[in-house]
């Protein structure tokens, strides 16, 4: 019987591969080998944990024996899922393991942004003392404010809970409205996109990058937001037109932003880096050892369930 082989294309915690290695022959791409190595060897493998690399047509065509590709995370916009489906390849993701760490990062960025921690930290490191009795140096509190959630999935729902602990009212906009029972249970209120933009004191983004969501937050939207409002993005950089955001922050159209993802990732414009009303992090939403181990374990289970038991889990290209 032919052995089942799995390739891991990037750096993942070895502890997350324990069960996978018990079931299949697992190869972790050498750190010194790049995309060319993967393209040259991919035909040998039945499944792949794809991380740090695009799953475009070139890669899919190279995997002539591939049966499944799993993203090592919840996002899958780096994989051509439609082309994979044409080739009979299942594409899966890992939505469960990223939930809590990404929600935590959302709120960490939210608090740091509205309380102006970057500005305070930078100023003190420069040997200056900030007089917070002056209104222009003050931050914003959360109690009584309105959080607008764009994308009320698992992560958005977790963020809503955190916000309510801080005394915030929660409104949301989603492609599909929740049932009245779910809204009551979560204590959230559905609004259309225009109302979300105009009403929220803080907007957090939790939607995937799709043709309908790409660039949805642009110059026109920023001008409709409150000048005192903030935007937090831990989802996908493509949801925001980055140059429009920079202009809005420079012009005072909005008060600030907390960003974990970028339109030009991993490149971050210097104009964005120079702004005191922005908190920046390097796509670290799931960047804890526990979270990354859990994500790789979930990716491994996607492969085990399909390659061993013929049952697809978390399939995104049905």
């Amino acid at each position: 019987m032919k052995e089942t082989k799995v390739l891991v294309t990037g750096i993942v915690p070895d502890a997350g591969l324990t069960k996978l290695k018990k079931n299949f022959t697992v190869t972790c791409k050498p750190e010194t080998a790049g995309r060319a190595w993967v393209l040259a060897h991919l035909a040998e493998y039945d499944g792949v944990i794809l991380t740090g690399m695009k799953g475009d047509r070139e890669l899919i065509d190279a995997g002539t024996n591939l049966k499944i590709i799993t993203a090592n995370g919840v996002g899958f916009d780096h994989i051509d899922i439609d082309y994979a489906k044409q080739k009979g390849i299942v594409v899966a993701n890992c939505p469960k393991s990223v939930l809590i760490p990404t929600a935590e990062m959302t709120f960490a960025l939210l608090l740091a942004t509205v309380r102006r921690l970057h500005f305070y930290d930078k100023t003190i490191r420069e040997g200056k003392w900030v007089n917070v009795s002056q209104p222009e140096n003050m931050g914003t509190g959360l109690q009584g404010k309105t959080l607008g959630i764009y994308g009320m999935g698992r992560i958005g729902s977790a963020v809503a809970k955190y916000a309510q602990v801080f005394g915030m009212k929660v409104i949301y906009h989603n492609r599909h409205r929740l049932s009245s029972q779910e809204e009551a249970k979560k204590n959230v209120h559905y609004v259309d996109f225009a109302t979300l933009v105009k009403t929220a004191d803080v907007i957090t983004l939790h939607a995937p990058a799709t043709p309908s969501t790409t660039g949805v937050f642009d110059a026109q939207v920023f001008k409709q937001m409150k000048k005192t409002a903030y935007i937090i993005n831990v989802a996908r950089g493509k949801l925001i037109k980055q140059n429009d955001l920079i202009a809005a922050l420079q012009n005072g159209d909005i008060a600030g932003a907390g960003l974990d993802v970028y339109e030009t990732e991993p490149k971050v414009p210097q104009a964005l880096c120079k702004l005191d009303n922005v908190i920046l992090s390097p796509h670290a939403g799931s960047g804890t050892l526990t979270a990354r181990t859990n994500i790789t374990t979930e990716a491994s289970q996607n492969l085990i369930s399909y390659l061993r038991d013929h049952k697809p889990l978390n399939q995104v290209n049905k």
Side-chain angles (χ1 to χ4, degrees):
M1 181 181 294
K2 175 182 172 291
E3 64 175 343
T4 301
K5 300 175 68 176
V6 170
L7 176 65
V8 181
T9 64
I11 300 172
V12 301
D14 193 61
L17 299 173
T18 302
K19 290 184 179 179
L20 193 68
K21 290 180 176 180
K22 289 181 179 179
N23 284 273
F24 311 127
T25 300
V26 178
T27 300
C28 294
K29 177 184 72 66
E31 289 187 30
T32 55
R35 180 179 172 89
W37 185 94
V38 172
L39 295 176
H41 292 83
L42 194 57
E44 304 169 21
Y45 296 93
D46 303 278
V48 59
I49 296 179
L50 190 67
T51 180
M53 194 169 295
K54 285 188 175 183
D56 52 17
R57 290 191 173 213
E58 181 184 42
L59 184 138
I60 291 168
D61 284 338
T64 52
N65 290 303
L66 275 183
K67 300 171 183 65
I68 179 172
I69 299 169
T70 181
N72 193 55
V74 66
F76 52 86
D77 53 309
H78 59 300
I79 303 172
D80 191 332
I81 62 173
D82 294 328
Y83 190 62
K85 184 177 180 179
Q86 290 179 30
K87 294 288 186 175
I89 300 170
V90 167
V91 178
N93 71 339
C94 304
K96 299 174 185 176
S97 304
V98 302
L99 195 165
I100 296 302
T102 306
E104 288 176 347
M105 176 60 86
T106 301
F107 228 81
L109 285 173
L110 193 160
L111 283 169
T113 302
V114 303
R115 294 306 300 266
R116 305 190 67 188
L117 293 191
H118 168 70
F119 170 63
Y120 295 156
D121 180 80
K122 174 176 174 285
T123 306
I124 288 178
R125 290 176 189 274
E126 291 173 347
K128 304 171 187 176
W129 189 256
V130 179
N131 183 358
V132 292
S133 294
Q134 296 175 343
E136 62 269 24
N137 292 330
M138 293 179 182
T140 299
L142 297 181
Q143 189 171 18
K145 297 296 195 301
T146 297
L147 175 66
I149 294 179
Y150 181 74
M152 184 58 84
R154 292 185 178 97
I155 296 171
S157 296
V159 171
K161 288 182 181 179
Y162 295 166
Q164 288 158 0
V165 171
F166 281 82
M168 299 187 79
K169 173 187 175 182
V170 180
I171 59 176
Y172 78 96
H173 181 75
N174 204 50
R175 184 176 58 173
H176 302 296
R177 182 174 180 174
L178 302 178
S179 67
S180 57
Q181 293 84 359
E182 277 295 299
E183 288 185 350
K185 181 180 178 181
K186 298 176 188 294
N187 192 23
V188 298
H189 303 278
Y190 175 84
V191 295
D192 59 31
F193 183 69
T195 301
L196 181 95
V197 167
K198 294 175 182 177
T199 305
D201 296 295
V202 183
I203 297 176
T204 59
L205 311 187
H206 308 288
T210 66
S212 63
T213 63
T214 295
V216 68
F217 286 87
D218 58 12
Q220 183 179 358
V221 168
F222 294 132
K223 289 185 182 299
Q224 292 172 1
M225 290 172 63
K226 296 178 180 180
K227 289 187 178 297
T228 54
Y230 299 84
I231 190 165
I232 312 296
N233 189 9
V234 296
R236 282 293 182 264
K238 291 180 180 179
L239 300 183
I240 295 176
K241 287 190 176 179
Q242 196 161 260
N243 288 336
D244 289 0
L245 174 63
I246 292 170
L249 292 165
Q250 291 172 334
N251 299 335
D253 292 333
I254 62 173
L259 305 174
D260 188 45
V261 290
Y262 309 89
E263 187 178 17
T264 53
E265 194 172 314
K267 294 180 180 179
V268 180
Q270 279 301 304
L272 197 58
C273 296
K274 291 178 180 178
L275 293 169
D276 284 338
N277 54 347
V278 183
I279 295 283
L280 307 173
S281 63
H283 205 146
S286 62
T288 70
L289 182 57
T290 298
R292 291 293 173 88
T293 300
N294 290 342
I295 290 168
T296 302
T297 300
E298 188 174 0
S300 295
Q301 191 55 51
N302 288 343
L303 293 169
I304 293 167
S305 182
Y306 189 67
L307 293 175
R308 187 190 68 186
D309 303 328
H310 309 294
K311 297 177 181 178
L313 293 178
N314 301 316
Q315 185 175 354
V316 296
N317 67 336
K318 295 180 181 179

